[in-house]
Amino acid sequence: MSPRHSAAEAARTRERIVRAAMLDASRLGLEGLTVGTLARRLDMSKAGLVGPFGSRDRLLMAALEQAVEIFRAAVTAPLEDLPPGAERLERLIDGWVGYLADCPFPGGCFLTAASSELDGRPGPLRERLLEVVTSLRGALAAEVAAAQGELPGPHRPAEEVATTLFGLSMAANQEIQLLQDPAAPARARTAMRHAAGLDA
């Protein structure tokens, strides 16, 4: 096998491992994911599974990073050509609810589950998740502020609205995943639009 083909095969193997780890962690939690279980599922040795990453912790970090990219691709990336404002915020909410309703993860929103799992557990995974969520919340507050400039007032502080939207998304995730309520997405979309002042 040529070096080029060997590198391509190694990249495919790494991608396969990360995807499997991400999907399993969605159901079991990042800390609940074991190398042995994942290796058996992929028909690999433990050393072969961990080898491309150097350690289990780095494998889990790779799974977290991949989940973040999937969220961004589904929710924020489609908005890149839209200017900040009410239409963009409305589209963001629609994309967010659509992601929750047709979630690519078997355990529901990966970031929501990881936030609940890691909020009291110090370590690199928690620190990275904190960076991601802080960035997302800041970006959402900026989207809300831009939309408020086009909407009739008075307005609640943008940071407060962002907190409300995050809370509603977490509630929607629970109603979709745990309660399996088919009306949850439409209800969440209505509640989030109202909280953002888009139905004024």
Side-chain angles (χ1 to χ4, degrees):
M1 182 179 292
S2 71
R4 183 175 178 181
H5 286 147
S6 178
E9 181 62 28
R12 283 194 294 270
T13 298
R14 189 182 191 281
E15 181 179 347
R16 177 170 169 253
I17 294 170
V18 170
R19 178 166 180 78
M22 180 179 62
L23 294 177
D24 279 7
S26 168
R27 294 182 297 103
L28 305 171
L30 285 160
E31 295 298 334
L33 181 66
T34 67
V35 170
T37 300
L38 187 60
R40 284 192 296 274
R41 187 160 86 76
L42 294 176
D43 195 24
M44 298 178 68
S45 69
K46 292 181 182 180
L49 182 80
V50 175
F53 308 92
S55 69
R56 174 180 175 272
D57 288 345
R58 289 181 181 174
L59 168 57
L60 294 180
M61 186 67 76
L64 174 59
E65 295 289 358
Q66 184 65 29
V68 171
E69 289 310 308
I70 288 174
F71 175 87
R72 286 181 171 148
V75 180
T76 62
L79 307 175
E80 290 175 356
D81 293 334
L82 279 177
E87 180 184 355
R88 179 166 155 140
L89 181 58
E90 185 171 0
R91 291 272 295 276
L92 186 152
I93 289 171
D94 288 347
W96 199 352
V97 173
Y99 159 84
L100 294 172
D102 190 20
C103 196
F105 303 109
C109 178
F110 194 103
L111 298 183
T112 297
S115 294
S116 297
E117 177 187 3
L118 300 175
D119 60 359
R121 296 185 184 182
L125 285 172
R126 182 187 184 277
E127 291 307 308
R128 177 57 183 144
L129 184 62
L130 176 61
E131 291 176 1
V132 169
V133 173
T134 300
S135 175
L136 289 173
R137 288 174 68 91
L140 180 58
E143 297 283 0
V144 170
Q148 287 177 341
E150 300 178 1
L151 299 170
H155 303 296
R156 304 298 303 170
E159 293 80 4
E160 180 182 313
V161 175
T163 295
T164 302
L165 293 176
F166 263 92
L168 289 169
S169 77
M170 290 180 175
N173 184 69
Q174 182 185 65
E175 292 183 347
I176 292 167
Q177 295 297 322
L178 179 63
L179 303 183
Q180 297 187 338
D181 184 349
R187 187 164 57 244
R189 186 177 289 108
T190 298
M192 292 173 80
R193 286 181 176 176
H194 177 74
L198 293 170
D199 58 357

